[in-house]
Amino acid sequence: MSMENFRLTFHMRTGIILGKYPLLLDSLLAAAMYSEVGDVAQAIEKIPLDRTEGVWHGSAAEFIALRPSSGGGTARPITKQQVTFVSGVNPVRDHESMDGVFLYYNPSRGPYNKTGAMDYKASMEQYQMWSVPRIVFYGRGDKDACRDLAEAFLPFLGKKSSQGFGEVSSVTVDAMNDDHSIVRDGDIMRPVPVSLSDRFGNPDGLLRHMRWRPPYFSGETVQCVCPVEVHNVKIM
């Protein structure tokens, strides 16, 4: 695998809803690779990024706002707004501990549960949606393989993609001279265990307990040095 420093850019069509942890390049590529190979362990091993001390050379997301161009192009700032979803409660999905237990009975209808009362009422969920023109990740690895995976298997980023949020219009990749995938100008660009931070020059960041390598949905959490923000913001 050819190792190059690169910047991978997702050009966004719709606003994105983030989780509470940073959106990481290695996590996205692992998910994309899983779509291709269908096995979690194999997908992780095939991530086309370099590793140092087990840390993947893939940064957290950086949000890019666009200035007006000299030719009179429209500026595209980054904005944030709250969006609300109303979701019903499914007793099979959300109340497995009540399997086979029904609260009401009607002779013509049989046993049932009311969805408008008690534990079965609908709930409102609120999220922050970011309208952002471009989302950038920095990496070191096979840049063309990373772009191809993103184009093939990452049409959406973030949460609530089934509702149309986080839609990607296109993906581009650019070679870079410097490696910004883990540290840039003394600042941490992705979670790194505190026990390994000296390997990367003891960069500045926020201390959080979290997972630092895929699969991010399971496994032990450790004390990590993390980006101060869930994302970085840059004006171009």
Side-chain angles (χ1 to χ4, degrees):
M1 180 170 63
S2 174
M3 296 294 175
E4 297 180 78
N5 302 321
F6 64 88
R7 176 178 58 217
L8 189 70
T9 303
F10 291 82
H11 303 262
M12 305 303 295
R13 179 172 285 123
T14 60
I16 184 172
I17 296 174
L18 298 175
K20 65 178 180 178
Y21 294 110
L23 191 62
L24 301 172
L25 180 58
D26 55 306
S27 177
L28 294 176
L29 294 175
M33 186 61 76
Y34 177 79
S35 298
E36 183 173 85
V37 303
D39 179 84
V40 172
Q42 187 179 356
I44 292 171
E45 284 305 310
K46 286 181 172 289
I47 296 173
L49 294 174
D50 196 5
R51 273 184 285 188
T52 299
E53 301 289 347
V55 179
W56 291 95
H57 280 255
S59 76
E62 183 171 72
F63 285 6
I64 305 295
L66 303 181
R67 300 182 189 274
S69 68
S70 57
T74 304
R76 295 188 61 191
I78 297 169
T79 60
K80 181 174 69 170
Q81 68 183 83
Q82 186 170 276
V83 292
T84 302
F85 300 91
V86 178
S87 60
V89 177
N90 183 315
V92 174
R93 181 194 64 206
D94 299 326
H95 293 273
E96 294 177 347
S97 62
M98 296 186 67
D99 185 28
V101 177
F102 296 91
L103 304 180
Y104 302 94
Y105 183 84
N106 181 285
S108 62
R109 183 177 177 183
Y112 70 99
N113 286 304
K114 289 183 178 180
T115 58
M118 300 179 68
D119 290 335
Y120 290 87
K121 63 183 178 181
S123 62
M124 285 198 305
E125 299 175 322
Q126 295 182 329
Y127 297 90
Q128 297 293 331
M129 182 197 73
W130 295 85
S131 295
V132 53
R134 298 175 184 173
I135 297 178
V136 163
F137 297 88
Y138 300 95
R140 176 172 173 77
D142 187 332
K143 66 179 178 63
D144 294 328
C146 291
R147 179 202 56 211
D148 292 346
L149 277 172
E151 288 181 334
F153 299 111
L154 298 174
F156 294 89
L157 301 179
K159 301 168 70 73
K160 297 293 182 182
S161 60
S162 63
Q163 309 270 350
F165 292 93
E167 185 177 2
V168 177
S169 62
S170 63
V171 181
T172 56
V173 66
D174 302 288
M176 298 181 64
N177 292 326
D178 298 323
D179 180 9
H180 293 166
S181 61
I182 297 178
V183 177
R184 180 179 63 189
D185 299 329
D187 293 324
I188 198 73
M189 295 292 284
R190 57 150 302 120
V192 170
V194 170
S195 60
L196 297 176
S197 64
D198 60 342
R199 179 67 177 79
F200 303 98
N202 292 310
D204 293 330
L206 181 71
L207 294 180
R208 299 180 70 176
H209 242 88
M210 63 179 296
R211 299 183 180 100
W212 58 281
R213 55 186 173 186
Y216 288 97
F217 56 81
S218 67
E220 181 186 8
T221 62
V222 300
Q223 185 89 321
C224 291
V225 185
C226 303
V228 174
E229 300 291 341
V230 172
H231 58 274
N232 295 313
V233 175
K234 188 176 181 180
I235 308 297
M236 294 185 68

